[in-house]
Amino acid sequence: MEKTKKSCRSNNSSSNDFFKKVKIYIFSLIGIIIFFIPIKINNELETIIYHISYFLENEASSIIEISLIFFIVLSIFKNILNIGKNNVNKIEICCKSFSLVILVSIFVGKEDLFFINDNLVFILKDLMLDLSITLPIASLFMPFLLEYGLVEITEAYTNRIMKKIFKVSGKVFLNFLVYILVNNVCGVFVTYKLYKDGKLRRRETAITILNFSVLSLSLTDDLCNKINISTIKFFIMEIIILIICNFIISRIYPLKKKKQSYYLKSNHKNVNCKRNKINTAIKRYYENKSNKKLLSLSVSYLNDVIYILMDLIPTIIFIFFIVNIIYNIPFIMESINNLTNIFVSAFNLPNSNLISNIINLNLFSSILAIESIPQRSYYIIKLMMGIFIALQCINFCLLIPFIKGSIIELTIGEILIVAFERLCIITFICFITYNFYCAI
């Protein structure tokens, strides 16, 4: 009789384990399909996230515009109520109010009152689309990526190699996939969320957001069309150079000096195993598992997005206005180009003036830099410019305001130092490549 009971218990246990695994596989697969698998709808090959975003953009653009205005107004009122507290001052309120006026002018078709260059307006509108539609939609489905075992499974299979090469845990590989296959906006939010929930250490967070946010597959595709090279070949080059850059930068100042502590103490346990990886990952998932239901998690993620966007959107609009002024003052751009040219010329690279101009434009926008690549340049020159555009830039119009407005502990000085380190490494690689090319 006892044997029968034990047999029943073991059968029930194995049955429960099976259904637990099936649940994790199904939810993880849903997340992978939603975020990473392109699906063709109406002759558009995009992921589900972008299909939903484009549908909302076409069908509910007026509502989205009103919502954006509402959130900026709400942010201004919040600052007015907190004036004198939390370092909120009158200048910040004035900047947000000015951003609101700029946003309204763009919506009514009077953007030429504030912007001289139409390209900057187009880039700003595209970024607003990602911030106001794509990110909120993605946040509703993001629990499928981060809360149902996919993080633990990814960590189990990539932890050793990510630790050895980049000094980060394996879960960063999943975050990297969001950066490269979705967009930077969703990528930085995933990094923020992992850090906020106590799943990433401070150093890992800094390395992730500064080293893995530079590469984008959609940008790579645009670049390859411009310089007329195979996307696969160029992507392989990007990955090799990215590995070299991240390997070095993660081991030197300032990222090496970042603390290994967490933002908050949590019960989260990392996955570090050599055998039985899938079983260990599932076991860790149930140890880390939140008791919240899917709907509650989705609402929580959306709430975080809204809270961030309230301050981020007016800041980005104001930064674009300042960039528009700088970009259209020849003296300032010439001075910046001359300084950059001194650095590039030291490596004896050809067309140093052109490369310097591309590097500086890339600080403002990768799209501006891509459009400035001349078609008649030599193949090797276009290739080098493409590498600088694809990997050199830390997006000043998104990344810096996001970091400064969030809980991520990075100063502007540290961000600029990392950007310069990457510039030095890529320039040196281009120098070696060019001289090898000439020798052949």
Side-chain angles (χ1 to χ4, degrees):
M1 191 72 178
E2 284 183 22
K3 288 182 180 179
T4 305
K5 288 181 179 178
K6 286 180 180 178
S7 175
C8 288
R9 285 197 207 100
S10 98
N11 287 336
N12 288 334
S13 176
S14 61
S15 178
N16 289 334
D17 289 342
F18 172 76
F19 284 113
K20 285 179 178 180
K21 288 181 180 180
V22 169
K23 180 182 177 182
I24 290 173
Y25 295 153
I26 291 174
F27 277 67
S28 297
L29 183 60
I30 291 172
I32 291 169
I33 291 172
I34 290 174
F35 284 91
F36 303 138
I37 306 299
I39 298 173
K40 195 169 186 178
I41 300 177
N42 296 328
N43 293 323
E44 293 281 345
L45 187 63
E46 296 284 357
T47 58
I48 293 176
I49 292 294
Y50 276 102
H51 282 303
I52 297 173
S53 299
Y54 294 149
F55 174 79
L56 289 176
E57 183 188 11
N58 293 328
E59 300 297 327
S61 58
S62 299
I63 297 174
I64 292 164
E65 290 174 0
I66 293 170
S67 299
L68 276 172
I69 294 171
F70 172 76
F71 284 125
I72 295 179
V73 171
L74 201 62
S75 178
I76 294 170
F77 276 118
K78 183 191 76 172
N79 284 1
I80 291 173
L81 292 175
N82 292 327
I83 195 166
K85 306 175 185 177
N86 303 324
N87 297 322
V88 175
N89 54 45
K90 293 179 181 179
I91 296 176
E92 186 176 347
I93 294 172
C94 290
C95 289
K96 288 186 177 181
S97 301
F98 185 61
S99 297
L100 178 62
V101 174
I102 294 174
L103 186 65
V104 172
S105 72
I106 292 174
F107 288 158
V108 299
K110 299 293 183 181
E111 58 269 9
D112 54 341
L113 293 174
F114 299 97
F115 290 93
I116 302 172
N117 191 289
D118 291 336
N119 287 332
L120 285 174
V121 178
F122 170 78
I123 295 163
L124 178 58
K125 286 181 178 179
D126 191 56
L127 183 54
M128 288 298 108
L129 171 66
D130 282 338
L131 288 170
S132 62
I133 304 177
T134 308
L135 180 57
I137 292 298
S139 69
L140 294 173
F141 297 101
M142 217 164 271
F144 288 108
L145 283 184
L146 304 183
E147 302 287 349
Y148 289 97
L150 189 57
V151 169
E152 285 80 7
I153 293 172
T154 305
E155 187 174 17
Y157 284 94
T158 62
N159 191 65
R160 292 184 68 191
I161 190 168
M162 294 295 284
K163 279 282 186 185
K164 286 182 178 180
I165 299 178
F166 306 120
K167 299 294 185 181
V168 294
S169 64
K171 60 176 73 73
V172 170
F173 183 76
L174 179 62
N175 197 173
F176 172 60
L177 291 180
V178 177
Y179 277 116
I180 189 172
L181 298 177
V182 185
N183 59 34
N184 283 358
V185 172
C186 293
V188 295
F189 179 73
V190 170
T191 307
Y192 159 83
K193 193 65 181 173
L194 290 173
Y195 179 57
K196 182 185 177 186
D197 291 346
K199 297 177 182 179
L200 282 183
R201 292 182 172 89
R202 281 182 170 88
R203 185 187 297 176
E204 289 179 314
T205 303
I207 291 172
T208 303
I209 203 165
L210 295 183
N211 283 357
F212 291 97
S213 65
V214 295
L215 190 58
S216 166
L217 198 58
S218 60
L219 176 65
T220 297
D221 191 50
D222 291 339
L223 262 172
C224 292
N225 290 332
K226 181 70 175 182
I227 63 180
N228 194 24
I229 186 176
S230 165
T231 303
I232 296 175
K233 291 179 181 178
F234 191 79
F235 181 72
I236 292 171
M237 289 174 54
E238 284 181 319
I239 291 296
I240 293 171
I241 297 174
L242 182 72
I243 290 171
I244 295 170
C245 289
N246 291 359
F247 179 85
I248 297 171
I249 294 172
S250 60
R251 285 166 169 78
I252 59 178
Y253 179 85
L255 296 184
K256 183 182 178 180
K257 295 294 183 181
K258 302 303 289 184
K259 295 179 180 178
Q260 285 283 42
S261 56
Y262 289 97
Y263 174 69
L264 55 81
K265 291 183 179 180
S266 67
N267 295 323
H268 180 83
K269 296 180 181 179
N270 293 323
V271 184
N272 189 7
C273 57
K274 295 181 180 179
R275 298 178 180 178
N276 300 322
K277 293 182 179 180
I278 189 67
N279 291 329
T280 306
I282 292 171
K283 181 182 177 182
R284 283 286 183 269
Y285 161 67
Y286 278 101
E287 291 174 351
N288 298 328
K289 184 176 177 291
S290 169
N291 293 323
K292 292 182 179 180
K293 301 295 183 182
L294 176 60
L295 180 61
S296 178
L297 287 168
S298 295
V299 171
S300 173
Y301 275 59
L302 180 61
N303 182 64
D304 279 351
V305 166
I306 291 172
Y307 184 80
I308 290 171
L309 293 184
M310 281 174 57
D311 290 323
L312 183 62
I313 288 176
T315 303
I316 288 175
I317 293 171
F318 187 76
I319 288 174
F320 264 87
F321 174 72
I322 299 299
V323 166
N324 171 69
I325 295 173
I326 295 173
Y327 180 71
N328 289 284
I329 298 179
F331 171 74
I332 296 178
M333 289 303 299
E334 285 175 9
S335 300
I336 296 173
N337 286 339
N338 289 335
L339 288 173
T340 309
N341 189 39
I342 294 172
F343 170 80
V344 175
S345 298
F347 288 87
N348 198 29
L349 292 180
N351 293 81
S352 58
N353 285 325
L354 180 58
I355 292 175
S356 299
N357 183 53
I358 292 295
I359 290 172
N360 293 326
L361 287 176
N362 200 38
L363 295 175
F364 301 128
S365 166
S366 298
I367 295 174
L368 290 177
I370 292 172
E371 290 182 350
S372 298
I373 298 176
Q375 290 288 351
R376 294 185 178 181
S377 297
Y378 288 112
Y379 179 77
I380 185 66
I381 306 298
K382 290 195 287 185
L383 203 60
M384 286 192 291
M385 288 189 289
I387 291 297
F388 277 113
I389 293 171
L391 296 175
Q392 173 259 328
C393 185
I394 290 175
N395 194 316
F396 283 12
C397 294
L398 169 65
L399 204 61
I400 289 181
F402 183 93
I403 291 172
K404 297 309 296 178
S406 71
I407 57 176
I408 298 171
E409 297 178 0
L410 279 168
T411 65
I412 293 178
E414 289 171 333
I415 297 170
L416 294 177
I417 289 171
V418 171
F420 182 70
E421 289 170 349
R422 182 176 291 105
L423 174 61
C424 291
I425 296 168
I426 295 174
T427 306
F428 183 70
I429 291 172
C430 288
F431 165 74
I432 294 174
T433 306
Y434 176 71
N435 282 277
F436 178 76
Y437 176 81
C438 291
I440 295 175

